[in-house]
Amino acid sequence: MFLYFSTFVVVIYLKIIICFRYLATGCSMRDLNHNFRIGYTTVRDIIHKTCLAIWENMRHTAFPELNEEKWLEIAKGFNENADYPNCIGAIDGKHIRVIKPSASGSLYYNYKNYFSIVLLAVCDADYKFIYIDVGAYGKCSDSSIFKHSVLHKKIVNNNLRIPEKTPISNNGIPMPYVIVGDEAFGLSDNLMRPYGGKNLTNNKRIFNYRLSRARRYIECSFGILANKWRIFHRPMDVRKELAIIIIKTCCVLHNYVRQKDGYRFQDTLEVPSELATPPGPPSRTSRSSASYRDLFADYFVNTNPLEWQDRVALG
């Protein structure tokens, strides 16, 4: 019995080593096939089942349910580290390079001229993902993926338990808690994007700079993810279903490592058409959303300016 148990433990340990080597080094399944002297299909099955087990057993720990207390904690992190009040996350999409799936046409061919699956994610100020959406076609834009995501539906239906509007200055107007994104996303009460165009006023240019300081956290999160799990350094030559599981697993492990090591990356970086869907009327920015953005801009310029922001944003 003891010998049987020991053999079982060794087999489990070996499977974990194979899976982690595949994710962390970016080696191919053929390399593992030769190095461990096991069949190619066996390697593929080990990676698939191990990744699936990690995702199923760790996703609730890595992505805890968001409530008002958690949102306030995230907002505190962005206010302290990015000087952006009432910010509850930074959102962006990352194209994960894949070998063209069979019979897929140009669905996975993106604007960067390669085939990809999109990872749409929202992160906090500690570079941990708080929401992910994996599996969209590379042809889709970040905005269209977001509009079809569960996150967007929950925001529209007020099911995210986001805190009530809070003033960001003494005797100020109550301001909504917002997620910050780039120009690809539409402006709404709970999602802030930069001002568009080139001929911007000083206030708008400073707002864009301050927003980019918060938005860069998602860019850094993607960079940390890709450099920790080097499977993202080459095209994934696997079926789409397996690629999605691998991406989800790496996001879970990313959060697990970020939480366990406790290491904070300092602010050393500066961040200087769609899948066929029924056409509809162009989305228009509500007046309240635009006015909230103007109030944020006024706050950054007059109430809480950074000593270097004029030199960086206007220089």
Side-chain angles (χ1 to χ4, degrees):
M1 178 64 72
F2 177 76
L3 180 61
Y4 174 81
F5 179 76
S6 301
T7 304
F8 177 78
V9 171
V10 170
V11 170
I12 296 297
Y13 183 67
L14 181 62
K15 289 181 178 180
I16 294 175
I17 290 178
I18 291 173
C19 181
F20 272 51
R21 179 173 293 188
Y22 178 74
L23 299 178
T25 65
C27 64
S28 68
M29 292 186 186
R30 286 294 177 194
D31 292 335
L32 297 173
N33 164 218
H34 294 300
N35 291 338
F36 288 89
R37 302 295 192 271
I38 54 180
Y40 176 82
T41 55
T42 303
V43 171
R44 184 188 60 198
D45 291 342
I46 287 173
I47 292 172
H48 184 243
K49 292 179 180 179
T50 305
C51 286
L52 190 60
I54 292 173
W55 168 251
E56 292 294 341
N57 289 280
M58 296 181 61
R59 61 177 177 173
H60 297 297
T61 303
F63 300 100
E65 185 178 358
L66 296 170
N67 51 36
E68 185 172 347
E69 182 181 356
K70 181 64 176 178
W71 287 123
L72 291 174
E73 180 183 342
I74 295 172
K76 180 181 178 181
F78 275 103
N79 192 32
E80 293 178 350
N81 298 299
D83 300 295
Y84 199 113
N86 286 22
C87 179
I88 55 175
I91 186 172
D92 201 4
K94 177 177 176 60
H95 288 269
I96 308 299
R97 190 186 293 264
V98 298
I99 300 297
K100 179 183 179 298
S102 60
S104 62
S106 61
L107 289 177
Y108 293 92
Y109 196 71
N110 62 33
Y111 71 96
K112 299 181 179 181
N113 299 320
Y114 60 80
F115 295 93
S116 66
I117 293 174
V118 180
L119 162 63
L120 182 75
V122 181
C123 77
D124 62 16
D126 196 27
Y127 309 106
K128 291 188 294 186
F129 299 119
I130 59 178
Y131 170 83
I132 59 172
D133 183 291
V134 186
Y137 299 123
K139 185 178 180 180
C140 297
S141 68
D142 292 346
S143 179
S144 67
I145 298 170
F146 175 65
K147 287 180 180 178
H148 290 86
S149 67
V150 174
L151 178 66
H152 181 262
K153 294 177 182 177
K154 288 186 175 181
I155 291 176
V156 172
N157 297 326
N158 295 320
N159 292 331
L160 277 181
R161 291 187 280 181
I162 296 175
E164 295 294 328
K165 297 177 182 177
T166 304
I168 57 178
S169 60
N170 295 332
N171 301 321
I173 298 174
M175 300 286 286
Y177 286 85
V178 298
I179 298 172
V180 296
D182 59 19
E183 297 86 349
F185 298 93
L187 181 65
S188 67
D189 286 0
N190 294 115
L191 201 155
M192 286 288 117
R193 55 161 285 171
Y195 288 100
K198 296 183 179 179
N199 298 320
L200 301 177
T201 63
N202 289 347
N203 283 18
K204 292 181 178 180
R205 292 170 64 186
I206 289 175
F207 170 83
N208 285 358
Y209 166 69
R210 295 289 290 270
L211 183 139
S212 72
R213 295 188 75 245
R215 194 184 65 81
R216 69 183 177 181
Y217 279 82
I218 187 62
E219 302 288 355
C220 293
S221 298
F222 287 147
I224 297 168
L225 173 71
N227 280 286
K228 179 73 71 174
W229 309 103
R230 291 181 173 257
I231 185 65
F232 296 115
H233 282 204
R234 64 172 181 81
M236 292 188 188
D237 190 10
V238 296
R239 299 189 308 274
K240 176 186 175 182
E241 295 75 18
L242 179 53
I244 291 174
I245 292 297
I246 288 173
I247 296 168
K248 289 180 177 180
T249 300
C250 288
C251 290
V252 166
L253 295 173
H254 167 87
N255 279 10
Y256 179 80
V257 173
R258 291 294 306 152
Q259 184 175 353
K260 289 298 181 181
D261 64 18
Y263 178 71
R264 175 178 295 280
F265 283 72
Q266 300 300 322
D267 296 340
T268 57
L269 300 176
E270 291 188 13
V271 178
S273 261
E274 306 181 4
L275 178 64
T277 53
S283 59
R284 297 184 177 180
T285 300
S286 65
R287 181 175 300 177
S288 61
S289 302
S291 63
Y292 285 135
R293 182 167 62 176
D294 293 338
L295 289 172
F296 272 114
D298 180 73
Y299 171 81
F300 293 144
V301 173
N302 300 313
T303 306
N304 185 26
L306 300 177
E307 58 178 334
W308 66 84
Q309 68 183 23
D310 288 351
R311 181 179 71 254
V312 175
L314 308 178

